[in-house]
Amino acid sequence: MREARPAGDDMLGRGLRLLTVLADHPDGLGVSAAARAAALPVSSAHRLLGRLAAERFVTYDEGARRYSLGIRVLELSRGFQRSPAGYSAAAAPMRRLAAATGLPAIAGVLHGEDVVLVLTVQGTQHLQLRSAEGTRNPWYATALGKALVAALPERAREDLLAGTLVPVTPHTRTDPQELREELARVRLTGWADVDEENEIGVRSIAAAVPTPAGSGGPAPLLAVSLGATVVLTGTDELHAHVPALQACVEEIAARMDV
């Protein structure tokens, strides 16, 4: 009896799996390695990669004999950022926040157990943090993640707290009860902070973009943070920017509600 193909195993699903695999391997992969990672026959992977290359979604390095993501993926990413679904409403408020504080403003969303950075605006300090859009970080090690998880329903929070909490730096908090208490404080104050928990030498604050009062809508999908180096910005100085950060997320919420 012929086995049913798994969901998403049509031609489109296979092509998307290959793109996802290549996104996880920025140095590129040979066709056999890409096929194994995407759980595809080599012949199917070779045919699909050729088609994706023809459409510029992947590029092929003949010398290295490796495929990697192509220019069309970047173009799609830019198009997403400009669309309403791409949080374009956050761009102008974040630019003003970065200009007013001198610090980079970063927006992120919760995806599984990670925070994915979706929009970044550079500040004006001479020593700038570089945070690439698309970067993933564990939720519990970031101010963005804590701001978003604090706003989740209790069951969803507890599911994340029951997950694997691996230290990113020696300062990362991984004790579920400590995190539970910290998230309770975030719900009370409306903002979260971390101090070298995700990256040595970096501290940050974050606030979630609120949902309309009484809307009964889902938990916030987006949060905004300000990042700073410990050598240039002290804890108290960074915390002094909380009102500006909260004004920023309130403005974003108003723009998204229009």
Side-chain angles (χ1 to χ4, degrees), residues 89-210:
M94 287 174 60
R95 283 196 295 268
R96 286 190 285 273
L97 178 65
T101 63
L103 301 174
I106 304 164
V109 298
L110 194 63
H111 187 261
E113 297 181 353
D114 294 329
V115 168
V116 180
L117 307 188
V118 296
L119 190 62
T120 62
V121 179
Q122 288 302 308
T124 57
Q125 282 189 343
H126 70 273
L127 180 58
Q128 285 288 300
L129 302 175
R130 298 292 176 183
S131 300
E133 293 160 0
T135 299
R136 286 178 172 268
N137 294 303
W139 73 266
Y140 53 88
T142 67
L144 285 168
K146 291 178 181 180
L148 288 165
V149 172
L152 291 176
E154 182 179 3
R155 176 63 181 271
R157 289 198 309 271
E158 289 300 319
D159 286 346
L160 287 170
L161 287 167
T164 303
L165 309 175
V166 178
V168 181
T169 77
H171 304 286
T172 309
R173 296 182 183 181
T174 57
D175 179 82
Q177 184 55 34
E178 287 185 6
L179 286 168
R180 191 175 288 113
E181 293 169 358
E182 184 177 4
L183 294 175
R185 290 195 297 272
V186 173
R187 287 194 296 279
L188 285 175
T189 63
W191 60 280
D193 69 334
V194 296
D195 205 334
E196 300 188 277
E197 292 185 48
N198 189 59
E199 185 177 350
I200 295 297
V202 176
R203 54 172 55 107
S204 64
I205 56 174
V209 175

